[in-house]
Amino acid sequence: MADYPQSDLMKIALCGIKYICSIREVKRENDRLGTGYEISLEEYKIKFQLIDAIFTVCGHINLKNFVTTFPITKDFNGHKWECKDYFYTMEVLSKMDWNMPIGRDKVFDFLWDYENNDLRNVCVEYMCAMSKLCQSQTGKGITEQWFEDMGIGTYTVDKESGIVKDNQTGNIVKLKKNSHLHIVK
């Protein structure tokens, strides 16, 4: 893949990222409309493989071309909210060689520090697909497994019945309705 022209790799990566973002928007619209459509495990596998292939292409793009293809979001108040922003991303990029490819093994960590809404959404989709695949094999998603490994308790809430179940002890508690709280429309 390193033999491909950078311009072709940039186009492939951009189209792939935009495609995953459009799939995400369709899913969100289905959820909003209440169609009841659930993504199958096979679809999660395909999504995971597709995003992984897109990340492979991204790994072969020079940093300079990557920033041109996926501009850094112009958000400048990360210090105020203690989150990533343009300055944080530029600080990370200043430690890298702008004429070298990112490298496939470094893409996910790189994207973790890169401030771009589309790329962040694709990373979220990648993690969700990874978690579903893990859940299908072990019975627990990535987050549930991490909480268990860290000794942090988790709970399951049934919104319809108002019951909360402690996943470690099995204790069940009924939620109380606060009469002093009212919905304002």
Side-chain angles (χ1 to χ4, degrees):
M1 185 164 301
D3 298 338
Y4 284 96
Q6 284 287 305
S7 61
D8 289 347
L9 294 175
M10 293 163 60
K11 290 173 189 173
I12 293 167
L14 180 64
C15 288
I17 295 295
K18 291 296 186 180
Y19 177 71
I20 297 299
C21 288
S22 67
I23 290 173
R24 182 176 189 268
E25 290 302 315
V26 168
K27 181 188 178 304
R28 291 180 70 182
E29 188 64 17
N30 280 334
D31 290 346
R32 188 185 71 76
L33 294 173
T35 62
Y37 177 74
E38 292 293 325
I39 298 174
S40 69
L41 182 60
E42 188 61 32
E43 289 172 309
Y44 275 113
K45 286 179 185 177
I46 292 168
K47 184 189 291 188
F48 178 81
Q49 292 169 347
L50 178 59
I51 295 172
D52 196 59
I54 294 166
F55 286 173
T56 299
V57 172
C58 289
H60 290 283
I61 299 173
N62 293 345
L63 182 57
K64 173 179 55 175
N65 293 334
F66 189 88
V67 172
T68 302
T69 308
F70 303 104
I72 303 166
T73 302
K74 304 299 189 276
D75 182 10
F76 303 106
N77 60 356
H79 65 282
K80 179 179 180 181
W81 304 107
E82 295 185 13
C83 61
K84 293 184 288 186
D85 66 355
Y86 180 86
F87 299 120
Y88 174 82
T89 302
M90 287 306 292
E91 183 180 325
V92 170
L93 297 181
S94 70
K95 300 172 187 167
M96 300 175 72
D97 184 353
W98 284 62
N99 295 314
M100 294 297 295
I102 299 163
R104 173 58 184 105
D105 56 335
K106 297 177 185 175
V107 167
F108 190 76
D109 291 335
F110 170 76
L111 293 177
W112 193 260
D113 291 329
Y114 198 86
E115 182 60 21
N116 178 288
N117 293 334
D118 287 342
L119 294 173
R120 182 182 330 106
N121 291 337
V122 170
C123 284
V124 168
E125 290 298 315
Y126 188 65
M127 293 290 291
C128 288
M130 191 183 311
S131 186
K132 280 292 187 185
L133 295 176
C134 181
Q135 187 177 31
S136 73
Q137 295 171 353
T138 66
K140 295 179 185 170
I142 293 172
T143 306
E144 294 165 308
Q145 186 62 50
W146 184 83
F147 277 124
E148 186 177 292
D149 293 347
M150 295 294 127
I152 301 170
T154 59
Y155 301 88
T156 304
V157 178
D158 184 349
K159 293 178 183 177
E160 290 181 17
S161 63
I163 294 177
V164 179
K165 177 184 174 193
D166 184 326
N167 294 331
Q168 285 65 44
T169 64
N171 293 340
I172 296 175
V173 177
K174 179 100 170 134
L175 288 176
K176 296 178 185 176
K177 292 187 179 183
N178 295 330
S179 61
H180 65 282
L181 298 176
H182 299 283
I183 297 175
V184 178
K185 292 186 180 184

